[in-house]
Amino acid sequence: MSHQFIATERIPARSNRAEVRNPILTLPAVARLRALDPETRGMLRDLLLELQQDARERAEASWRSRKPPLAAYWAACGVYAGHIARAIGPGACRKIRLVRRG
Protein backbone atom coordinates (compact mmCIF):
# COMPACT_ATOMS: atom_id res chain seq x y z
CA MET A 1 0.00 0.00 0.00
CA SER A 2 1.47 3.36 -0.98
CA HIS A 3 1.19 6.37 1.24
CA GLN A 4 0.34 9.72 -0.18
CA PHE A 5 1.04 12.84 1.80
CA ILE A 6 -1.10 15.89 1.27
CA ALA A 7 0.18 19.24 2.46
CA THR A 8 -2.49 20.89 4.54
CA GLU A 9 -0.51 24.05 5.30
CA ARG A 10 1.82 26.06 3.15
CA ILE A 11 5.31 26.52 4.60
CA PRO A 12 6.20 30.21 4.44
CA ALA A 13 9.27 31.17 2.43
CA ARG A 14 12.33 32.15 4.42
CA SER A 15 12.78 35.88 4.77
CA ASN A 16 15.37 37.62 2.63
CA ARG A 17 15.87 40.34 5.23
CA ALA A 18 19.47 40.34 6.50
CA GLU A 19 18.50 40.75 10.15
CA VAL A 20 16.26 37.68 9.97
CA ARG A 21 18.96 35.50 8.45
CA ASN A 22 21.64 36.86 10.81
CA PRO A 23 20.11 38.01 14.14
CA ILE A 24 23.53 39.23 15.31
CA LEU A 25 22.94 42.27 13.08
CA THR A 26 20.34 43.58 15.52
CA LEU A 27 22.86 43.89 18.37
CA PRO A 28 24.11 47.44 19.03
CA ALA A 29 27.71 46.24 19.44
CA VAL A 30 27.79 45.18 15.77
CA ALA A 31 27.65 48.83 14.73
CA ARG A 32 30.71 49.46 16.89
CA LEU A 33 32.53 46.53 15.29
CA ARG A 34 31.67 47.86 11.84
CA ALA A 35 33.12 51.24 12.81
CA LEU A 36 36.58 49.70 13.24
CA ASP A 37 39.11 50.36 10.50
CA PRO A 38 38.99 47.84 7.62
CA GLU A 39 42.34 46.23 8.50
CA THR A 40 41.29 45.54 12.10
CA ARG A 41 37.88 44.26 10.95
CA GLY A 42 39.61 41.93 8.49
CA MET A 43 41.90 40.51 11.16
CA LEU A 44 38.98 40.05 13.54
CA ARG A 45 36.92 38.39 10.80
CA ASP A 46 39.75 35.94 10.06
CA LEU A 47 40.04 35.05 13.75
CA LEU A 48 36.30 34.55 14.05
CA LEU A 49 36.25 32.24 11.02
CA GLU A 50 39.12 30.25 12.54
CA LEU A 51 37.21 30.07 15.82
CA GLN A 52 34.15 28.87 13.89
CA GLN A 53 36.11 26.06 12.28
CA ASP A 54 37.67 25.00 15.60
CA ALA A 55 34.26 25.03 17.29
CA ARG A 56 32.73 22.92 14.52
CA GLU A 57 35.51 20.36 14.87
CA ARG A 58 35.02 20.21 18.64
CA ALA A 59 31.27 19.84 18.16
CA GLU A 60 31.81 16.91 15.83
CA ALA A 61 34.32 15.27 18.21
CA SER A 62 31.93 15.74 21.14
CA TRP A 63 29.09 14.22 19.16
CA ARG A 64 31.22 11.18 18.26
CA SER A 65 32.17 10.87 21.97
CA ARG A 66 28.46 10.72 22.82
CA LYS A 67 28.48 14.08 24.60
CA PRO A 68 25.50 15.85 23.02
CA PRO A 69 25.32 18.80 25.47
CA LEU A 70 28.96 19.68 24.80
CA ALA A 71 28.44 19.16 21.07
CA ALA A 72 25.49 21.59 21.16
CA TYR A 73 27.58 24.15 23.03
CA TRP A 74 30.42 24.02 20.50
CA ALA A 75 28.00 24.07 17.59
CA ALA A 76 26.38 27.22 18.98
CA CYS A 77 29.81 28.84 19.46
CA GLY A 78 30.58 28.13 15.82
CA VAL A 79 27.30 29.62 14.64
CA TYR A 80 27.81 32.82 16.64
CA ALA A 81 31.39 33.21 15.43
CA GLY A 82 30.31 32.76 11.82
CA HIS A 83 27.43 35.22 12.14
CA ILE A 84 29.66 37.88 13.67
CA ALA A 85 32.35 37.29 11.02
CA ARG A 86 29.80 37.79 8.24
CA ALA A 87 28.38 40.85 9.99
CA ILE A 88 31.75 42.62 9.85
CA GLY A 89 33.16 41.16 6.64
CA PRO A 90 33.37 42.69 3.17
CA GLY A 91 30.01 43.88 1.94
CA ALA A 92 28.63 43.83 5.46
CA CYS A 93 28.13 47.57 5.57
CA ARG A 94 25.23 47.50 3.10
CA LYS A 95 22.05 49.07 4.27
CA ILE A 96 20.05 46.86 6.58
CA ARG A 97 16.95 47.51 8.58
CA LEU A 98 17.86 47.41 12.24
CA VAL A 99 15.23 46.84 14.87
CA ARG A 100 15.27 49.37 17.71
CA ARG A 101 14.32 48.18 21.14
CA GLY A 102 13.08 50.26 24.01
Side-chain angles (χ1 to χ4, degrees), residues 84-95:
I84 296 167
R86 280 185 288 287
I88 65 171
C93 293
R94 322 173 266 205
K95 286 186 177 181

Side-chain angles (χ1 to χ4, degrees), residues 18-59:
E19 66 274 13
V20 171
R21 291 185 173 266
N22 186 350
I24 293 293
L25 295 172
T26 62
L27 299 176
V30 170
R32 292 179 57 206
L33 287 171
R34 287 180 170 182
L36 296 171
D37 65 272
E39 183 179 340
T40 303
R41 266 196 348 259
M43 289 173 35
L44 182 56
R45 180 181 177 274
D46 291 345
L47 287 170
L48 286 164
L49 291 175
E50 186 177 329
L51 190 147
Q52 178 187 40
Q53 186 58 41
D54 289 345
R56 285 179 173 177
E57 290 170 6
R58 287 176 183 248

